[in-house]
Coordinates of all heavy atoms in Angstrom, one line a residue:
W13 N -5.0 8.8 5.1 CA -5.0 9.3 3.7 C -5.6 8.3 2.8 O -6.4 8.6 1.9 CB -3.6 9.8 3.4 CG -3.5 10.6 2.1 CD1 -3.5 11.9 2.0 CD2 -3.4 10.1 0.7 NE1 -3.4 12.3 0.7 CE2 -3.3 11.2 -0.1 CE3 -3.4 8.8 0.2 CZ2 -3.2 11.1 -1.5 CZ3 -3.3 8.7 -1.2 CH2 -3.2 9.8 -2.0
V14 N -5.1 7.1 2.9 CA -5.6 6.0 2.0 C -7.1 5.9 2.1 O -7.8 5.8 1.2 CB -4.9 4.7 2.3 CG1 -5.5 3.5 1.5 CG2 -3.4 4.8 1.8
E15 N -7.6 5.8 3.4 CA -9.0 5.7 3.6 C -9.8 6.9 3.0 O -10.8 6.8 2.4 CB -9.4 5.5 5.1 CG -10.9 5.3 5.3 CD -11.2 5.0 6.7 OE1 -10.3 4.9 7.6 OE2 -12.4 4.8 7.0
D16 N -9.3 8.1 3.3 CA -9.9 9.3 2.8 C -10.0 9.3 1.2 O -11.1 9.7 0.7 CB -9.1 10.6 3.1 CG -9.1 10.9 4.6 OD1 -9.9 10.3 5.4 OD2 -8.2 11.7 5.1
K17 N -9.0 8.8 0.6 CA -9.0 8.9 -0.9 C -9.6 7.7 -1.6 O -10.2 7.8 -2.7 CB -7.6 9.1 -1.4 CG -6.8 10.3 -0.8 CD -7.5 11.6 -1.1 CE -6.7 12.7 -0.6 NZ -7.5 13.7 0.1
F18 N -9.5 6.5 -1.0 CA -9.9 5.3 -1.7 C -10.9 4.4 -0.9 O -11.4 3.4 -1.4 CB -8.7 4.3 -1.9 CG -7.6 5.0 -2.8 CD1 -6.4 5.3 -2.2 CD2 -7.9 5.3 -4.1 CE1 -5.4 5.9 -3.0 CE2 -6.9 5.9 -4.9 CZ -5.7 6.2 -4.3
G19 N -11.3 4.8 0.3 CA -12.2 4.1 1.1 C -11.5 3.1 2.0 O -10.4 2.7 1.8
Y20 N -12.3 2.6 3.0 CA -11.8 1.8 4.0 C -11.2 0.5 3.4 O -10.2 0.0 3.9 CB -12.9 1.4 5.0 CG -12.5 0.4 6.0 CD1 -11.6 0.7 7.1 CD2 -12.9 -0.9 5.9 CE1 -11.2 -0.2 8.0 CE2 -12.5 -1.9 6.9 CZ -11.6 -1.5 7.9 OH -11.2 -2.4 8.8
E21 N -11.8 -0.1 2.5 CA -11.4 -1.4 1.9 C -9.9 -1.4 1.5 O -9.2 -2.3 1.6 CB -12.3 -1.9 0.8 CG -13.6 -2.5 1.2 CD -13.4 -3.7 2.2 OE1 -12.6 -4.6 1.8 OE2 -14.0 -3.7 3.2
M22 N -9.5 -0.3 0.9 CA -8.1 -0.2 0.4 C -7.1 -0.2 1.5 O -5.9 -0.5 1.3 CB -8.0 1.1 -0.5 CG -6.7 1.1 -1.3 SD -6.6 -0.3 -2.4 CE -5.0 0.0 -3.2
T23 N -7.5 0.1 2.8 CA -6.6 0.1 3.9 C -6.0 -1.3 4.1 O -5.0 -1.4 4.7 CB -7.2 0.7 5.2 OG1 -8.2 -0.1 5.6 CG2 -7.7 2.1 5.0
H24 N -6.8 -2.3 3.7 CA -6.3 -3.7 3.8 C -5.1 -3.9 2.9 O -4.4 -4.9 3.0 CB -7.4 -4.7 3.5 CG -8.5 -4.6 4.5 ND1 -8.4 -5.2 5.7 CD2 -9.8 -4.0 4.4 CE1 -9.6 -5.0 6.4 NE2 -10.4 -4.3 5.6
N25 N -4.9 -3.1 1.9 CA -3.9 -3.2 0.9 C -2.8 -2.2 1.1 O -2.0 -1.9 0.2 CB -4.4 -3.1 -0.5 CG -5.2 -4.4 -0.9 OD1 -5.9 -5.0 0.0 ND2 -5.2 -4.8 -2.1
L26 N -2.7 -1.6 2.3 CA -1.7 -0.6 2.6 C -0.6 -1.4 3.4 O -0.8 -2.0 4.4 CB -2.2 0.5 3.5 CG -1.2 1.4 4.1 CD1 -0.5 2.2 3.0 CD2 -1.9 2.4 5.1
I27 N 0.7 -1.2 2.9 CA 1.8 -1.8 3.5 C 2.8 -0.7 3.8 O 3.2 0.1 2.9 CB 2.5 -2.8 2.6 CG1 1.5 -3.9 2.2 CG2 3.8 -3.4 3.2 CD1 2.0 -4.8 1.0
I28 N 3.1 -0.5 5.1 CA 4.1 0.5 5.5 C 5.4 -0.3 5.9 O 5.4 -1.0 6.9 CB 3.6 1.3 6.7 CG1 2.3 2.0 6.3 CG2 4.6 2.3 7.1 CD1 1.6 2.8 7.4
C29 N 6.4 -0.1 5.1 CA 7.6 -0.9 5.3 C 8.8 0.0 4.8 O 8.8 0.6 3.8 CB 7.5 -2.1 4.4 SG 8.9 -3.2 4.4
S30 N 9.9 -0.1 5.6 CA 11.1 0.7 5.3 C 12.0 0.0 4.3 O 12.9 0.6 3.8 CB 11.9 0.9 6.6 OG 11.2 1.7 7.5
H31 N 11.7 -1.3 3.9 CA 12.6 -2.0 3.0 C 11.7 -2.7 1.9 O 11.2 -3.8 2.1 CB 13.4 -3.1 3.7 CG 14.6 -3.5 2.9 ND1 14.4 -4.1 1.7 CD2 15.9 -3.5 3.2 CE1 15.6 -4.5 1.2 NE2 16.5 -4.1 2.1
K32 N 11.5 -2.0 0.8 CA 10.6 -2.4 -0.2 C 11.0 -3.6 -0.9 O 10.2 -4.3 -1.6 CB 10.3 -1.2 -1.2 CG 9.6 -0.1 -0.4 CD 9.4 1.1 -1.3 CE 8.8 2.3 -0.5 NZ 8.5 3.4 -1.4
G33 N 12.3 -3.9 -0.9 CA 12.9 -5.1 -1.6 C 12.5 -6.4 -0.9 O 12.7 -7.5 -1.5
L34 N 11.9 -6.4 0.3 CA 11.4 -7.6 1.0 C 10.2 -8.2 0.4 O 9.9 -9.3 0.6 CB 11.2 -7.3 2.5 CG 12.4 -6.9 3.3 CD1 12.0 -6.5 4.7 CD2 13.4 -8.0 3.3
L35 N 9.4 -7.3 -0.3 CA 8.1 -7.8 -0.9 C 8.3 -8.5 -2.2 O 9.2 -8.2 -3.0 CB 7.2 -6.6 -1.0 CG 6.7 -6.2 0.4 CD1 7.4 -5.0 0.9 CD2 5.2 -6.0 0.4
K36 N 7.4 -9.4 -2.4 CA 7.4 -10.2 -3.7 C 6.3 -9.6 -4.6 O 5.1 -9.5 -4.1 CB 7.1 -11.7 -3.5 CG 8.2 -12.3 -2.5 CD 9.5 -12.5 -3.2 CE 10.4 -13.2 -2.3 NZ 11.8 -13.1 -2.8
G37 N 6.6 -9.4 -5.8 CA 5.5 -8.9 -6.7 C 6.1 -8.7 -8.1 O 7.3 -8.9 -8.4
D38 N 5.2 -8.1 -9.0 CA 5.6 -8.0 -10.4 C 6.1 -6.6 -10.7 O 7.1 -6.4 -11.5 CB 4.4 -8.3 -11.3 CG 3.9 -9.7 -11.1 OD1 4.7 -10.7 -11.4 OD2 2.8 -9.9 -10.6
I39 N 5.5 -5.6 -10.1 CA 5.8 -4.2 -10.5 C 5.8 -3.3 -9.2 O 4.9 -3.4 -8.4 CB 4.8 -3.6 -11.5 CG1 5.0 -4.4 -12.8 CG2 5.1 -2.1 -11.8 CD1 3.9 -4.1 -13.9
L40 N 6.8 -2.5 -9.1 CA 6.9 -1.5 -8.1 C 6.9 -0.1 -8.8 O 7.8 0.1 -9.6 CB 8.1 -1.6 -7.2 CG 8.5 -0.5 -6.2 CD1 7.4 -0.3 -5.2 CD2 9.8 -0.8 -5.5
I41 N 6.0 0.8 -8.5 CA 5.9 2.1 -9.0 C 6.4 3.0 -7.9 O 5.7 3.2 -6.9 CB 4.5 2.5 -9.5 CG1 4.0 1.5 -10.5 CG2 4.5 3.9 -10.0 CD1 2.5 1.6 -10.8
D42 N 7.6 3.6 -8.1 CA 8.2 4.4 -7.0 C 9.0 5.5 -7.7 O 9.5 5.4 -8.8 CB 9.2 3.5 -6.3 CG 9.5 4.0 -4.8 OD1 9.9 5.1 -4.7 OD2 9.2 3.2 -3.9

């Protein structure tokens, strides 16, 4: 789906994870 909508390059920025609190970042849109 990500590749279909945004192109192959964006697949490098796809993270599939059951626990979103493990990631470090500034903003989570959920």
Side-chain angles (χ1 to χ4, degrees):
W13 191 94
V14 169
E15 183 175 359
D16 291 345
K17 303 304 184 223
F18 300 114
Y20 173 75
E21 281 302 311
M22 192 62 181
T23 65
H24 295 284
N25 290 33
L26 171 63
I27 302 166
I28 301 176
C29 179
S30 294
H31 198 300
K32 297 175 181 184
L34 296 174
L35 285 100
K36 302 287 184 195
D38 300 296
I39 295 170
L40 170 60
I41 304 168
D42 204 303

